[in-house]
Amino acid sequence: MKGTFMLLRLSIAIGFLCLTGTTAYCQATSPPRGTAPVNGPQHLAKADIKYASRQSLDKGVTLAKLSSGLTVIVQENHAAPVATVRCYVVNTGSAYEGEHMGAGLSHMLEHLVAGGTTTIRPEKEIRGLIDTMGGRTNAYTSNDITAFYIDCPADKVPLAIELIAQNMQHSVIPEDEYLREMGVVQRELEKGEQERRRVLYNRMKQLVYQVHPMQHPTIGYLPVVQDVAREDVIDFYRDRYVPQNMIFVVTGDVKTDAVLDDVLSNFKDFRRTTERGVTLPVEPEQASPRSIRVEMEGPTTHISVAWPTVPLQDPDLYPLDVAAYLLTHGDSARLTKRLKIDQPLATSVSSASYTPGFVKGWFQITAECAPENTEKVLRIILEEVEKLQTTDAEPAELAKVKRQKAAAHVRSQQTVQDQAEMLASSYRSTGDPLFDDQYVSGIQTVTPEQVRAVANKYFLPQRLNTVTIDPLGSGAKQTGSRKNDLAESDILRKEFPNGLTVLLKRHSVVPLVSVQAFVKGGALSDTNETSGLASLACQLMSRGTKKYTGQQISEYFDSIGGSLSVGSQRNSSFLRASMLADDFENSLDYIQQVLVQPTFPQDEFDRVREITLRRIAARAANPQSEILDFWAAKLPKTSAYHRTVMGTTETVSRLALEDCRKFHANYFVPNNMVIAIFGDIDVEATSNRLESMFGTLPRSKDFAWPKFAKNPLLPKTEFEHLTNQKQNTGMVLLSYPSVSIYQQKQRAALEVLSAILTGGSGAGGRLHEELRGAKLVYYVFGFQITGFAPGYYNFLSQTRPEAIGEVVARIEANLKKISEEGIPQAEFDKAKDKLIAAHAMQNTTPGSQAFQAAIDELYGLGYDYDRGYDERISAVTVADVVEVVRTYFRHGLVVTTSPETPPQLGAKP
């Protein structure tokens, strides 16, 4: 990975970023910094703030700077009527907190500035405005930045600019908001201590950095955070939230001149101050190996090794990134092949070169495996590192990695959000918003000799850092430029005589093609005795076909920078593939082979089943996975939702290879299949090609899809508890039998109910405000689990063990209140407006559009069913929502997990 801009995207997956999870913005009092104090000198006229510079760059990008020091970057992208508005504050983040190091002040400010009261508007009004505009808002903090954003329809950009500008200049930080968010941050800290990936990341930082403040966690240390006073937070806001520390980015369906005018108008009184920040110490060279071992709940071991390397500006950045791709990018990569394909020793393996712009970074390799395989896995990792030092990469292997990097660069520009992040991170790290393009060019110049040279220069035994997480109690040791205008067609639907349905659409914003094939058949088609069969069979389909071996398939897609995966979920099984447009024709042959001609090799079956069993066991380490699996186990055995997608250890252990072959023969038949291909394609030519490849397949005379009975409503509320060892963590799931996808009126009413209680597509709503405001939960969500069979509506929340009973009672009380009192019309209308506006922001890429069209067609709803979403939501009335609450939410199944049984859970007055 390259620089902080690439690290930013990756680190979401490893817990690097601390998201507020709020639906609107918030922060601290004071007039804009840089204005004269009331009693200050008045004899000098203040110069007007104006644009000091403006540059037009490639790719529709404009870089401008106000005389106050505030940087503005605008990129026009008219592919869809959406935009994102973002502000990045430098000289913040956990490495830049000076005397408050370890207190997480930047992260605390993120929570408070992102949606809180300003001198212009109270918090409630701000949240109402964002809900009305349909904006999706959030914020995050990392080691060296705090970022705030609103994703919104393009016509709401002026309002989004205004709201963020007010947060940056006029936040008040009232006492009640400070106390509330302090509680939320402490819950977030407790949650992070139970997440292996975040623990792994923070422990590695503490090893690599002994002097540099990069060593400190973004969120801070709990005892230090608890000592933070409101005045400390306000002082930090006044000190660091100044114009020269801000980068304001707007990308999307906008006009540059209008955006620049709006930014200037909203920051015209925000004056430059003296420079604010800290001088960071230099990390000394590491002289000897360092290691740390941690025990956490979960059956697997995580092992991570790392070596200090270079900052972003060092030219060794390029060969180091190539080395990371050589090791683990794709199934044919060196370490992936040895640890997951040749021998099923690890359930996952990854590598990355982290190169921030403000400090030397590190090169890291991480694997997850069974504890008894740890030594073998570590030995193989070090063997492959040694090969990097002694053997040059083959030309074909190096060419594959370069192609993968070019493809990744194209993919990273698909959405306006991706583009904004890339522009901002490139600029703040290098001063060039388009450095990412230069980076890809730099990758293409890397030679085998350079890769070998950096491996010998940095991967030294005395500089090795090792972090191990064992189970509790184990006691163990740029491609060419593209036009900005959109070339897009309507969806073509065609059904072949054998029953196969194809959906084709030209969508050439970027030169990518997405292929998605779906069949009915997932956990719903399994039985209680064969639970996990669909998932296991699908994983095997790409492991060998009549024409290609599994290795040839993985090497091909790796070599073109593409991807192919086969999987299964509750209602369907699927193949999903993505590739550059130039590679589409050749890729179709591999896709046809995987869908139609898999051979299910015995040795691959043994490997995949073993890995699946380990993954099933590892689910218990994640609080959400654990409670969802426990919930499924407590449903009636006659319920289609009693079975989990992956199955159980017992059922998967009993599966045989012939079971997988039968599943494929029964379900991957043309009259049960929908293939959607969206992207930079010739629609007519693609249709002809598909008909020649798939149109002659025989229709299955035996295929039949069952009908599913209604869910019986519960006569009384039932309670189930699972005792675990997750300290300070309590999970709550309230489950109510509800409807299938075909009961459209009730489904729409349930969506509106979800928006009212838990924010719908984003955090918010009555329960979010009440439970987070009372410092009872870290999060609370409401969601439907449904499909062909009538499903369930669930509430899921993470809290403290001692608060489980109160969380359950408050959720039930909110449902009762709606049942008895209804919903105020203004609140109801706002919830519907929010859902409709949020829906307009979805499905803007070829892949997401293909997915939605294919799955709706498979369900029998029609490929254009999603277009009627606004109408279905608009038709919902208050009476409809009250009716679904009274009908389906009288009695539910309450499932909880914690280290001890909650006292009096289920006791009724």
Side-chain angles (χ1 to χ4, degrees), residues 158-293:
L159 177 57
I161 292 173
E162 177 185 335
L163 291 175
I164 294 183
Q166 290 172 0
N167 289 142
M168 297 301 100
Q169 303 170 79
H170 306 296
S171 289
V172 173
I173 313 183
E175 181 74 18
D176 60 332
E177 294 175 22
Y178 166 77
L179 292 174
R180 181 192 68 206
E181 293 305 316
M182 172 64 84
V184 171
V185 167
Q186 292 186 52
R187 300 294 81 75
E188 186 177 349
L189 249 167
E190 293 165 355
K191 172 178 176 289
E193 291 171 355
Q194 302 299 321
E195 295 177 355
R196 283 188 169 213
R197 289 184 177 182
R198 183 172 292 193
V199 171
L200 194 74
Y201 173 71
N202 284 328
R203 294 296 190 274
M204 184 60 77
K205 286 205 305 177
Q206 291 165 4
L207 287 183
V208 173
Y209 302 102
Q210 303 286 298
V211 173
H212 195 279
M214 179 76 168
Q215 65 184 281
H216 301 298
T218 302
I219 197 170
Y221 305 100
L222 183 58
V224 185
V225 171
Q226 290 173 330
D227 285 340
V228 171
R230 173 171 171 262
E231 291 73 21
D232 297 329
V233 179
I234 294 174
D235 288 345
F236 192 77
Y237 172 74
R238 290 172 172 168
D239 187 65
R240 302 299 172 85
Y241 281 58
V242 293
Q244 65 269 29
N245 279 353
M246 295 181 182
I247 304 168
F248 207 92
V249 181
V250 181
T251 64
D253 188 14
V254 297
K255 298 294 185 183
T256 299
D257 289 343
V259 169
L260 292 176
D261 288 346
D262 283 337
V263 173
L264 176 59
S265 174
N266 281 279
F267 287 99
K268 59 183 172 59
D269 296 319
F270 200 30
R271 299 189 177 277
R272 191 179 194 119
T273 67
T274 55
E275 293 306 307
R276 313 292 177 74
V278 295
T279 300
L280 302 178
V282 176
E283 181 69 27
E285 294 289 346
Q286 183 174 338
S288 60
R290 301 166 184 163
S291 65
I292 189 170
R293 178 180 172 274

Side-chain angles (χ1 to χ4, degrees), residues 360-573:
K360 289 182 178 181
W362 72 92
F363 187 100
Q364 181 170 327
I365 304 169
T366 302
E368 180 181 8
C369 62
E372 62 269 21
N373 291 334
T374 303
E375 291 185 8
K376 290 181 183 178
V377 169
L378 181 57
R379 174 175 55 78
I380 291 173
I381 289 173
L382 296 178
E383 285 176 0
E384 291 300 328
V385 169
E386 185 178 359
K387 288 180 183 178
L388 288 175
Q389 297 171 319
T390 58
T391 307
D392 286 344
E394 293 293 330
E397 187 181 22
L398 192 58
K400 175 185 73 175
V401 166
K402 292 178 180 180
R403 184 71 170 172
Q404 289 172 332
K405 280 290 187 181
H409 177 62
V410 172
R411 288 194 183 89
S412 67
Q413 303 175 79
Q414 290 193 77
T415 68
V416 295
Q417 294 85 357
D418 294 337
Q419 293 155 10
E421 284 294 309
M422 183 182 295
L423 292 168
S425 54
S426 291
Y427 178 78
R428 65 186 178 85
S429 298
T430 69
D432 176 11
L434 300 178
F435 173 76
D436 219 59
D437 297 336
Q438 176 185 319
Y439 167 82
V440 174
S441 299
I443 288 291
Q444 306 309 310
T445 67
V446 172
T447 66
E449 293 78 13
Q450 289 175 320
V451 175
R452 181 159 46 85
V454 295
N456 281 286
K457 182 176 180 180
Y458 299 108
F459 304 159
L460 304 177
Q462 67 269 28
R463 295 182 183 175
L464 175 65
N465 298 276
T466 306
V467 178
T468 306
I469 300 180
D470 281 320
L472 276 176
S474 60
K477 314 188 176 174
Q478 176 164 101
T479 58
S481 63
R482 300 282 297 181
K483 293 181 180 180
N484 286 328
D485 50 329
L486 176 65
E488 184 173 356
S489 71
D490 293 331
I491 297 174
L492 170 69
R493 180 190 184 276
K494 190 169 184 178
E495 184 175 335
F496 298 155
N498 61 3
L500 176 67
T501 301
V502 298
L503 306 173
L504 305 174
K505 180 180 180 179
R506 176 168 174 78
H507 187 300
S508 58
V509 177
V510 292
L512 284 174
V513 178
S514 174
V515 181
Q516 314 231 6
F518 284 84
V519 299
K520 299 172 186 173
L524 264 65
S525 64
D526 295 339
T527 66
N528 291 342
E529 291 70 32
T530 64
S531 181
L533 171 58
S535 176
L536 182 62
C538 288
Q539 291 180 71
L540 285 167
M541 287 172 59
S542 62
R543 296 301 183 102
T545 70
K546 287 189 175 181
K547 190 173 180 180
Y548 303 109
T549 65
Q551 183 173 343
Q552 287 172 326
I553 295 169
S554 61
E555 285 180 344
Y556 169 75
F557 281 95
D558 287 348
S559 70
I560 65 170
S563 64
L564 180 144
S565 62
V566 189
S568 185
Q569 287 298 324
R570 191 171 300 279
N571 293 279
S572 62
S573 296

Side-chain angles (χ1 to χ4, degrees), residues 570-591:
R570 191 171 300 279
N571 293 279
S572 62
S573 296
F574 53 85
L575 176 148
R576 307 183 73 177
S578 175
M579 70 288 303
L580 295 176
D582 291 344
D583 300 308
F584 170 58
E585 289 296 324
N586 291 334
S587 300
L588 269 183
D589 189 47
Y590 289 86
I591 291 168

Side-chain angles (χ1 to χ4, degrees), residues 744-745 747-756 759-762 784 830-843 852 856 861-876:
Q744 298 178 21
K745 180 179 179 180
R747 281 183 64 203
L750 287 169
E751 284 211 50
V752 177
L753 174 67
S754 184
I756 291 167
S761 61
Q784 299 181 61
K830 182 184 293 185
K832 294 201 298 182
D833 290 344
K834 179 181 180 181
L835 285 173
I836 291 171
H839 180 261
M841 303 286 292
Q842 299 172 3
N843 299 336
Q852 191 67 59
D856 285 343
L861 301 171
Y863 66 84
D864 57 353
Y865 176 76
D866 193 58
R867 294 182 181 178
Y869 179 88
D870 294 4
E871 182 179 349
R872 291 191 294 274
I873 295 299
S874 296
V876 177

